[in-house]
Amino acid sequence: MKIGDLVEYEGSHSYGKQSRDLGTVVRLDPEFRDTECYVVWHTTNNEGWWSARCLKVVSKHENR
């Protein structure tokens, strides 16, 4: 995953109706958090560090 990628949460929780949780990767810290990325979620009022194992890239950021 890279900064700017649109990601979807692929975790195992479910609260009633299953909806897509979409967010954008805004920060990486490979020195201290090599398996995590900072995500700002668009479908919930949430942001923070998330394990890349729980995320799926929906769309790659093209402007690099």
Side-chain angles (χ1 to χ4, degrees):
M1 283 178 214
K2 297 185 178 175
I3 293 174
D5 286 351
L6 181 67
V7 294
E8 178 177 15
Y9 181 73
E10 290 277 295
S12 61
H13 76 57
S14 66
Y15 302 106
K17 184 180 176 186
Q18 190 71 8
S19 63
R20 293 181 80 182
D21 292 323
L22 298 173
T24 300
V25 176
V26 296
R27 186 171 164 202
L28 300 171
D29 187 354
E31 185 175 345
F32 296 105
R33 297 177 180 263
D34 61 341
T35 62
E36 297 180 355
C37 50
Y38 197 90
V39 178
V40 173
W41 296 100
H42 305 294
T43 54
T44 63
N45 188 18
N46 194 1
E47 63 182 73
W49 289 100
W50 293 82
S51 170
R53 292 184 295 259
C54 297
L55 304 173
K56 173 185 169 187
V57 176
V58 176
S59 178
K60 292 187 178 279
H61 183 62
E62 299 294 331
N63 296 329
R64 295 186 205 258

